[in-house]
């Protein structure tokens, strides 16, 4: 049986309900489309673990700030559809914004507290509320048993885990590793915005993360010291402008005063006009 594309909430609800009644295990991979090998790695992992897989392609307007790139975000639905069909996905769910957010829609699902205190949150006000709202809404419609997310968006993963636990939706959250280009650049739908100079410079994020890890392995245990090692790699690279460069506890995302346990090195930087993020979990030797 081939893949079907569904565009309405009701069609997806009916489909998920039929499958559930048959006792099938449903998987879900939410995306904003412009698919690349990172997305497809989550799809492949999901396909190995469920009976039916729904992948959404939805550029979620409410997770973009007013000065962000919602309008120019890449939209390549025909290509995405072909890739997902070939991968063996059962349903491509691609609702219109007006279907997800009909006139009068006024609800936000928000996670508060320490998980939204640092990293991307202060730089993108409202972003994670937009993400949790759309994911909660998708979970209600798709009703998956398990959903796959990428480590690329580490803070998003932590926030969604918190939300599913708090709401008791019973969706298992699974995480796939970051897929990278051969020069280390983490795959992102936004990489296509990079011009030649930007594309050449962008792997500096990955090299910065590696420099941070190397510093830890050499015995550096102060976040300031690790940050300095990362900055030494990034500072000379043009057109890279670091927005933040952080070392936090990998579990709680809280700042650390002395590095121990599992930590997360995380970077956000503008490469020209394009904002990229990357991160690297590191186990600190005892
Ligand atoms: P997006 O379409 O950017 O919203 O991403 C959809 C999902 O794919 C999210 O869970 C991302 O974390 C994940 N993802 C994006 N880029 C990568 C990557 N390079 N490797 C693995 N997962 C990724």
């Amino acid at each position: 049986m081939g893949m079907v594309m569904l565009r309405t909430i009701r069609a997806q609800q009916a489909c998920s309900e039929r499958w559930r009644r048959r006792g099938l295990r449903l998987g879900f991979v939410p995306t904003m489309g412009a698919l690349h090998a990172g997305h497809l790695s989550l799809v492949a992992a999901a396909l190995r673990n469920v009976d039916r897989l729904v992948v959404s392609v939805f550029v979620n307007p409410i997770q973009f700030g007013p000065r962000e790139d919602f309008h120019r975000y890449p939209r390549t639905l025909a290509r995405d559809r072909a890739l997902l069909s070939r991968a063996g996905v059962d349903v491509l769910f691609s609702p219109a914004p007006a279907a997800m957010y009909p006139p009068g829609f006024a609800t936000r699902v928000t996670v508060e507290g320490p998980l939204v205190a640092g990293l991307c949150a202060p730089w993108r006000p409202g972003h994670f509320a937009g993400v949790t709202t759309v994911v909660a809404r998708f979970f209600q419609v798709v009703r998956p048993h398990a959903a796959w997310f990428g480590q690329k968006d580490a803070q998003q993963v932590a926030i969604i885990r918190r939300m599913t636990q708090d709401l008791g939706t019973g969706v298992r959250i699974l995480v796939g590793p970051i897929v990278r280009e051969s020069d280390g650049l983490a795959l992102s739908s936004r990489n296509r915005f990079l011009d030649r100079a930007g594309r050449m410079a962008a792997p500096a994020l990955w090299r910065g993360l590696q420099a941070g890890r190397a510093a830890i392995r050499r015995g550096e245990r102060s976040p300031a010291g690790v940050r300095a090692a990362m900055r030494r790699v990034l500072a000379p690279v043009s057109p890279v402008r670091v927005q933040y460069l952080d070392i936090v506890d990998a579990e709680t995302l809280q700042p650390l005063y002395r590095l121990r346990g599992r930590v997360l090195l995380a970077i956000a930087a503008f490469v020209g006009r394009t904002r990229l993020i990357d991160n690297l979990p590191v186990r600190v030797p005892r």
Side-chain angles (χ1 to χ4, degrees):
M1 216 196 60
M3 185 183 81
V4 296
M5 176 158 75
L6 303 178
R7 311 224 53 160
T8 68
I9 305 291
R10 280 176 57 171
Q12 181 60 60
Q13 273 170 333
C15 172
S16 291
E17 199 175 319
R18 268 196 313 278
W19 285 341
R20 275 194 164 249
R21 265 206 304 268
R22 287 170 55 194
L24 298 171
R25 233 183 111 66
L26 312 192
F28 178 47
V29 178
T31 83
M32 298 207 298
L35 300 180
H36 52 64
H39 298 115
L40 295 177
S41 72
L42 298 179
V43 166
L47 282 169
R48 288 194 292 275
N49 284 281
V50 297
D51 301 311
R52 294 290 184 275
L53 182 61
V54 177
V55 176
S56 63
V57 169
F58 180 65
V59 184
N60 177 32
I62 68 169
Q63 74 184 65
F64 289 80
R67 273 177 298 278
E68 292 182 358
D69 55 359
F70 173 70
H71 291 288
R72 64 176 202 127
Y73 196 83
R75 289 162 173 87
T76 62
L77 189 60
R79 181 174 174 276
D80 294 345
R81 184 178 187 168
L83 287 170
L84 294 172
S85 174
R86 203 174 319 144
V89 169
D90 297 285
V91 167
L92 162 55
F93 180 39
S94 188
M100 289 297 277
Y101 306 118
F105 187 97
T107 297
R108 287 290 182 279
V109 178
T110 59
V111 169
E112 295 175 1
L115 292 179
V116 294
L119 302 178
C120 288
W123 298 99
R124 304 190 69 187
H127 168 69
F128 288 114
V131 169
T132 42
T133 299
V134 80
V135 170
R137 179 126 171 81
F138 272 132
F139 282 3
Q140 286 291 114
V141 174
V142 177
R143 298 199 49 219
H145 295 91
W148 275 259
F149 294 86
Q151 170 66 24
K152 165 87 186 322
D153 298 275
Q155 189 172 22
Q156 169 174 287
V157 167
I159 290 169
I160 286 169
R161 275 194 198 289
R162 184 74 257 162
M163 177 191 78
T164 48
Q165 213 173 316
D166 292 354
L167 296 180
T169 50
V171 180
R172 260 189 87 193
I173 304 300
L174 293 142
V175 181
I178 302 179
V179 177
R180 300 178 179 282
E181 302 282 4
S182 54
D183 60 9
L185 175 62
L187 296 191
S188 162
S189 302
R190 290 186 170 98
N191 289 351
R192 71 187 62 210
F193 293 142
L194 300 171
D195 61 15
R196 260 177 70 83
R199 179 61 189 81
M200 298 263 287
L205 274 71
W206 171 235
R207 290 203 311 276
L209 292 168
Q210 287 179 298
R213 179 172 63 188
I216 293 172
R217 287 179 176 165
R218 281 195 306 270
E220 181 61 65
R221 291 294 178 270
S222 94
V226 176
R227 222 183 266 120
M230 294 166 74
R231 201 166 276 128
R232 270 196 295 279
V233 169
L234 284 151
V237 182
S238 160
V240 176
R241 214 156 27 83
V242 172
Q243 183 175 65
Y244 70 75
L245 196 159
D246 238 330
I247 301 127
V248 295
D249 182 273
E251 208 63 32
T252 64
L253 307 187
Q254 290 312 283
L256 292 157
Y257 299 95
R258 203 176 155 68
L259 303 188
R260 60 192 295 267
R262 264 175 48 81
V263 303
L264 185 74
L265 313 189
I267 294 184
F270 278 92
V271 180
R273 286 177 59 204
T274 305
R275 183 179 179 277
L276 300 180
I277 57 172
D278 199 353
N279 70 78
L280 178 63
V282 177
R283 173 164 290 291
V284 179
R286 286 150 62 82

